[in-house]
Amino acid sequence: MSRKGINAIKEYHLNAHQPTKPQFAMYDLQNYLQKHGEHASKAHIHSYYQIIWFKKGNGRHFVDFKEYDVIDNSIFFIARDQVHYFDECTDYEGILLHFNESFIIQKDSEVEFFLKCSLFNNPYQIPSCCIGDHIVVTLDLYLSLMQQELANNEENGDYFGREELLRLYLKSFLIQVQRRKNEFELNNSDFPFHTDEKRMQLMRFINLIDENYKKGLPVSEYASIMNFSSRTLSDLTNNFLNKTPSQMIQERMILEAQRMLLHSDLNVSQIADHLGFEDPSYFVKYFKKHVHQSPSDFKKSIL
């Protein structure tokens, strides 16, 4: 279903507002694409998180206006509200894992917070990595345990501890992938991996932007929320990304504008209003400054 008239793009849910139903699902990728490929190959978003493990196959996957290669044993991490879609190939072999945030994120737990931020919805990392053969056996073991738990509960109706076990298996799977992604990112000079407090602070700032970018908060207010000075926050983002906090806020605003231009039924004035711009003409100037195209020209260049 689309978002109450705001977005024309399809938005899919996993038992939304039904806490008694499973907040986790697992699918064979080939079967899923053969059944739902017509919809999956069109731009869409989810209110849940998705892991796509392409075990075998070569092609392309599209995430937020960028095209990424699919090769054997590539894993993609799709966050809530990210626009993505598959190519038209339905012969991939692999696994899909879907889960709501409430399933995996435990309140005030740094481990879950760290996993969420490092694997999903980080605009400064590519949304995938390629795993080596040496951990495939380990990952397959966790998948087997998930499948067994789901099957057992379906057969005998015994749901005691089901979510706890599935959550543990999923966390174990994510930790193994995170380790591989850490190795992968050591060779990525744009945003190298560091398991330290500074990185966690940067991740928190990225999350705060995602939650508040439409409100027009100044950098000083973001810094205050983090108990930082504006200078400390600027040093943090410059050291990691060579960007100012203002640039990061602007980039998030532009990303949302691009998403809405391509995948909503709103006109430019309505998009400007939705993003908190009182003057549509200022929104057009703002967009053109950052994208070097007007909103209408950007839309024509992509479609």
Side-chain angles (χ1 to χ4, degrees):
M1 296 177 63
S2 62
R3 288 186 169 188
K4 298 182 179 180
I6 291 180
N7 283 357
I9 184 174
K10 289 288 186 180
E11 178 179 12
Y12 298 102
H13 306 280
L14 177 62
N15 295 326
H17 313 300
Q18 296 177 292
T20 60
K21 291 192 175 182
Q23 304 298 299
F24 171 86
M26 183 175 180
Y27 304 95
D28 176 85
L29 180 58
Q30 189 175 88
N31 291 342
Y32 185 90
L33 291 176
Q34 289 175 352
K35 184 177 181 179
H36 303 289
E38 181 180 353
H39 301 293
S41 62
K42 295 178 181 177
H44 61 276
I45 58 177
H46 314 125
S47 62
Y48 52 86
Y49 291 88
Q50 182 180 63
I51 297 172
I52 312 166
W53 181 4
F54 294 94
K55 288 190 171 186
K56 290 185 179 180
N58 290 275
R60 299 169 298 164
H61 198 74
F62 304 85
V63 184
D64 279 335
F65 322 112
K66 294 182 180 179
E67 177 182 319
Y68 299 92
D69 290 332
V70 171
I71 60 175
D72 289 355
N73 280 328
S74 53
I75 300 184
F76 281 74
F77 315 97
I78 309 300
R80 296 179 306 167
D81 297 329
Q82 278 195 295
V83 176
H84 86 113
Y85 57 98
F86 292 81
D87 60 18
E88 295 182 356
C89 176
T90 58
D91 292 331
Y92 292 116
E93 294 182 23
I95 292 291
L96 278 173
L97 299 176
H98 295 172
F99 56 93
N100 286 326
E101 183 167 308
S102 60
F103 179 80
I104 192 67
I105 305 298
Q106 303 298 300
K107 203 168 185 180
D108 299 325
S109 171
E110 291 185 356
V111 175
E112 285 81 359
F113 174 78
F114 173 76
L115 286 172
K116 170 191 171 186
C117 292
S118 297
L119 291 175
F120 297 95
N121 209 22
N122 184 342
Y124 303 102
Q125 294 178 337
I126 63 174
S128 67
C129 74
C130 187
I131 61 169
D133 293 338
H134 61 289
I135 70 165
V136 167
V137 173
T138 302
L139 295 183
D140 275 336
L141 172 61
Y142 292 126
L143 292 177
S144 177
L145 289 168
M146 293 180 207
Q147 289 172 326
Q148 180 178 333
E149 182 62 24
L150 291 169
N152 285 343
N153 285 315
E154 289 175 359
E155 290 172 1
N156 57 33
D158 182 6
Y159 297 104
F160 175 74
R162 176 183 65 179
E163 285 213 352
E164 285 76 7
L165 281 176
L166 288 172
R167 186 180 297 115
L168 286 172
Y169 299 149
L170 177 59
K171 285 182 183 178
S172 299
F173 182 95
L174 290 174
I175 288 169
Q176 293 292 340
V177 176
Q178 179 71 72
R179 288 177 176 175
R180 176 64 186 99
K181 197 164 190 284
N182 296 354
E183 297 172 11
F184 181 83
E185 289 167 6
L186 289 175
N187 299 319
N188 180 355
S189 60
D190 292 333
F191 193 50
F193 180 85
H194 299 285
T195 53
D196 59 18
E197 183 180 357
K198 295 290 185 184
R199 179 185 173 87
M200 290 296 294
Q201 291 168 347
L202 179 66
M203 295 299 99
R204 185 184 176 204
F205 179 52
I206 290 172
N207 268 12
L208 284 174
I209 293 174
D210 205 51
E211 294 167 3
N212 297 285
Y213 67 94
K214 295 178 186 177
K215 299 177 182 178
L217 302 182
V219 170
S220 58
E221 190 157 348
Y222 281 100
S224 178
I225 293 171
M226 297 181 68
N227 294 317
F228 282 178
S229 67
S230 296
R231 176 61 183 272
T232 299
L233 181 57
S234 294
D235 288 343
L236 178 71
T237 61
N238 278 315
N239 288 339
F240 270 89
L241 302 175
N242 196 29
K243 294 178 182 289
T244 67
S246 293
Q247 284 177 307
M248 295 173 65
I249 297 166
Q250 292 161 1
E251 288 169 353
R252 181 62 184 89
M253 182 72 76
I254 290 298
L255 174 60
E256 192 66 19
Q258 290 173 317
R259 288 174 174 174
M260 297 185 74
L261 282 165
L262 294 189
H263 305 301
S264 81
D265 53 10
L266 303 183
N267 61 37
V268 170
S269 294
Q270 291 170 320
I271 291 173
D273 181 67
H274 183 73
L275 295 176
F277 290 85
E278 295 182 1
D279 183 357
S281 63
Y282 177 69
F283 165 70
V284 172
K285 291 178 182 177
Y286 182 94
F287 188 93
K288 192 170 184 178
K289 175 183 176 182
H290 293 283
V291 183
H292 308 297
Q293 288 179 302
S294 69
S296 58
D297 287 342
F298 168 77
K299 188 169 185 177
K300 291 176 185 175
S301 71
I302 299 296
L303 296 180

